[in-house]
Amino acid sequence: MVDSREISSQVLSDIFYGKSFDRALLLNKEYSKLDQRDKSLVSLLVLTSLRRNGQIDNVLSHFIKKPLKKNFFIRYLLKISVAQILYLDFPEYSTVHNAVEISKKYKSEKFTNAILRNICKNKKKFIKEIPAIINIPDWIKKDLEKFLEAKDLLEIANQISLEPYIDINIKNENFNQYNWEKILKGKKVFENIIRIKNKSNIEDLPFFQDGKWWVQGISSSLPVFLIKKIFKKNSKNKTVLDVGSAPGGKSFQLIDFGFKVSSIEISKKRIATLNSNLERLKLNTKIINEDFLNIDFKEKFDCILIDAPCSGSGLMQKKPEMLVVKKDISSLVKKQKKMLLKAANLVKDGGYIIYCVCSMLSAEGENQIISFLNNQKCFSSKNHFTDILEFGEVLKSNTFLVTPNSFQKKGGVDGFFIGCLIKNPN
């Protein structure tokens, strides 16, 4: 059987060549043969290497002055090994030994041994002197520097280098029935959300199969929390269109709060996931498997929740592959703009568009709202964020930005942007 560290290096290589983390694992035949313990090890090694990529590259640059053209695989093996030595505190001898044994297949054992031995000798120096800030890629960092201070960027860099927690959202009808902190071995952090340490098999946790809860990050839950606040007097008679609804977290919240929900999703595969989750949770919604931009609606809605496709720059901690592959967001920005314009014609007078993206980039967040308001004079931006200030800050445009260093004492949150737009009656 292929060593799990070699598999980790293969998976890491595939990610650098454009595959997502999940797809790289799925397509690796050797990974599928591993037991759960070794699969968890592969995930740990790859994700740590991605989260610390900038620091690891800096370390390797002290010893590798030219690109490894022939045995490019060795570079990924070295990255995995440096992650073990510097950031996971694995035993140095076994880490070096394993890497050297693997490198023999590529006739690079002396090269590998020399570099890793030198890194071990300078371990304390590298850990102390190489800052986490260089893990944030320039295409994200340059945008954040426009409105965040250096200390905030460093806090974000330190936060995204850590393994994220898992947030579990408990159904309203079940929340007071049990001691969920004890059952799930976690802490209540907001509303009905219990935060737990990362688990490999979520399905094995208590009451998962009974449909009493679903996994949903705090940041992702905030837009629906705001909708509940906005329509607190009469939620049962209010219609909400959840755009880009799968895998379903926001729709589940909306249904749980008593709204009349329609969930639209363009992807058939994601619709299948949504249906599966709804069945487990014993919840119902009107599902529309169409392109939001092309479908003709005969009705108008009290609220349209747009979870727009985006760069995902707020998910650097959960999906660190974006730290190593630059995204062209121009097509995404155009689509986001079209979605806002479409929603403007579908919301009732006095109704709301809640626009959100799991991104911290201004082009996908605040700039979108400013541009929209400049062209849609019947809309205005409303500050409904007083109850969630612990998760981020209100921007000049009366919109809200969550950054990963927010809520840091309790484990941080995903980066997220939210705008609340009311359609003023003519």
Side-chain angles (χ1 to χ4, degrees):
M1 182 177 288
V2 179
D3 184 270
S4 56
R5 289 154 184 83
E6 184 172 0
I7 295 171
S8 300
S9 304
Q10 293 167 351
V11 170
L12 186 63
S13 172
D14 286 342
I15 292 171
F16 270 81
Y17 279 87
K19 290 186 176 68
S20 69
F21 171 70
D22 291 336
R23 186 152 184 80
L25 292 180
L26 181 65
L27 295 178
N28 193 294
K29 294 180 181 179
E30 297 300 329
Y31 172 81
S32 65
K33 299 175 185 177
L34 298 175
D35 60 25
Q36 188 56 53
R37 180 180 177 183
D38 283 336
K39 284 182 177 178
S40 297
L41 175 60
V42 169
S43 293
L44 176 64
L45 295 181
V46 174
L47 291 172
T48 303
S49 300
L50 291 169
R51 292 182 183 121
R52 299 282 190 172
N53 180 67
Q55 290 171 297
I56 290 171
D57 275 352
N58 186 290
V59 170
L60 292 175
S61 70
H62 287 75
F63 309 103
I64 303 175
K65 303 301 181 182
K66 296 180 180 180
L68 300 176
K69 294 182 179 180
K70 291 184 178 180
N71 291 332
F72 67 91
F73 170 83
I74 293 299
R75 184 169 190 91
Y76 300 105
L77 175 62
L78 290 171
K79 282 176 178 282
I80 291 290
S81 302
V82 174
Q84 293 176 78
I85 294 168
L86 296 186
Y87 304 113
L88 293 172
D89 203 27
F90 279 29
E92 294 175 11
Y93 173 80
S94 61
T95 299
V96 175
H97 175 75
N98 286 332
V100 170
E101 289 300 306
I102 293 169
S103 67
K104 287 179 179 179
K105 293 183 182 180
Y106 306 90
K107 299 180 180 179
S108 299
E109 62 269 27
K110 291 182 179 179
F111 175 76
T112 300
N113 183 65
I115 288 178
L116 294 181
R117 293 278 179 208
N118 273 299
I119 290 171
C120 290
K121 289 177 183 178
N122 294 279
K123 178 177 179 177
K124 291 183 179 179
K125 176 185 175 183
F126 286 137
I127 292 174
K128 182 179 180 181
E129 295 182 0
I130 302 178
I133 191 70
I134 63 175
N135 294 322
I136 302 178
D138 287 342
W139 68 279
I140 296 177
K141 191 189 316 179
K142 287 179 180 178
D143 190 83
L144 298 182
E145 285 174 340
K146 296 174 185 176
F147 54 91
L148 293 178
E149 297 180 5
K151 70 176 184 64
D152 294 315
L153 279 172
L154 183 57
E155 286 178 359
I156 289 173
N158 287 330
Q159 182 63 41
I160 65 173
S161 67
L162 305 174
E163 185 176 23
Y165 288 90
I166 292 175
D167 295 334
I168 292 178
N169 206 330
I170 314 293
K171 277 183 176 179
N172 283 320
E173 65 182 18
N174 301 126
F175 188 71
N176 293 319
Q177 291 179 346
Y178 306 96
N179 183 341
W180 288 103
E181 289 188 330
K182 184 176 181 180
I183 289 172
L184 297 174
K185 299 178 181 178
K187 291 288 184 183
K188 179 180 180 295
V189 286
F190 179 67
E191 292 285 291
N192 289 9
I193 294 177
I194 305 294
R195 173 162 284 185
I196 65 172
K197 290 185 178 180
N198 214 325
K199 303 286 184 182
S200 56
N201 288 320
I202 292 295
E203 296 86 353
D204 293 337
L205 290 175
F207 295 111
F208 175 85
Q209 302 298 342
D210 299 282
K212 298 185 187 300
W213 54 263
W214 63 91
V215 174
Q216 184 182 24
I218 289 179
S219 295
S220 177
S221 75
L222 295 179
V224 177
F225 172 78
L226 296 172
I227 293 172
K228 181 184 75 166
K229 177 182 175 182
I230 291 167
F231 296 104
K232 61 183 177 182
K233 292 183 179 179
N234 195 14
S235 64
K236 291 185 179 180
N237 293 321
K238 298 300 180 181
T239 56
V240 182
L241 178 64
D242 182 11
V243 182
S245 55
K250 297 178 186 65
S251 282
F252 306 153
Q253 281 182 281
L254 289 165
I255 298 165
D256 205 31
F257 289 141
F259 290 97
K260 294 180 179 178
V261 186
S262 297
S263 305
I264 184 167
E265 170 62 50
I266 190 172
S267 166
K268 289 184 178 180
K269 184 176 181 180
R270 288 170 63 82
I271 282 286
T273 301
L274 174 59
N275 274 318
S276 175
N277 289 333
L278 285 165
E279 183 178 354
R280 178 179 64 83
L281 293 166
K282 301 175 181 66
L283 297 174
N284 293 297
T285 180
K286 180 181 178 181
I287 296 177
I288 306 167
N289 188 191
E290 298 282 353
D291 183 348
F292 173 63
L293 294 177
N294 294 329
I295 189 173
D296 290 324
F297 286 94
K298 294 181 180 180
E299 61 181 311
K300 290 194 174 184
F301 300 87
D302 294 296
C303 181
I304 298 178
L305 171 57
I306 302 175
D307 188 355
C310 68
S311 65
S313 59
L315 302 177
M316 291 184 285
Q317 188 175 7
K318 286 182 179 174
K319 296 186 177 181
E321 55 260 48
M322 72 182 53
L323 297 173
V324 302
V325 179
K326 183 177 179 179
K327 283 192 175 184
D328 180 2
I329 66 168
S330 57
S331 61
L332 292 168
V333 170
K334 290 178 182 177
K335 187 168 187 177
Q336 293 156 6
K337 183 176 183 177
K338 289 179 180 179
M339 294 176 81
L340 277 166
L341 292 174
K342 174 87 172 187
N345 295 317
L346 294 175
V347 68
K348 297 176 183 177
D349 288 349
Y352 275 81
I353 298 173
I354 307 297
Y355 172 83
C356 61
V357 284
C358 51
S359 171
M360 298 180 289
L361 301 180
S362 54
E364 300 184 288
E366 187 173 33
N367 289 359
Q368 283 286 17
I369 299 302
I370 292 172
S371 175
F372 176 80
L373 293 175
N374 284 338
N375 293 288
Q376 299 289 324
K377 300 301 182 182
C378 61
F379 281 85
S380 56
S381 182
K382 290 290 185 180
N383 181 351
H384 288 288
F385 309 113
T386 52
D387 292 334
I388 60 170
L389 293 177
E390 63 184 317
F391 300 109
E393 62 177 303
V394 179
L395 305 179
K396 292 180 180 179
S397 57
N398 267 347
T399 55
F400 195 73
L401 182 68
V402 182
T403 55
N405 60 320
S406 305
F407 211 57
Q408 198 167 23
K409 291 183 179 179
K410 295 184 180 179
V413 285
D414 297 326
F416 212 79
F417 173 86
I418 309 170
C420 299
L421 306 171
I422 186 171
K423 187 173 186 179
N424 303 304
N426 294 326

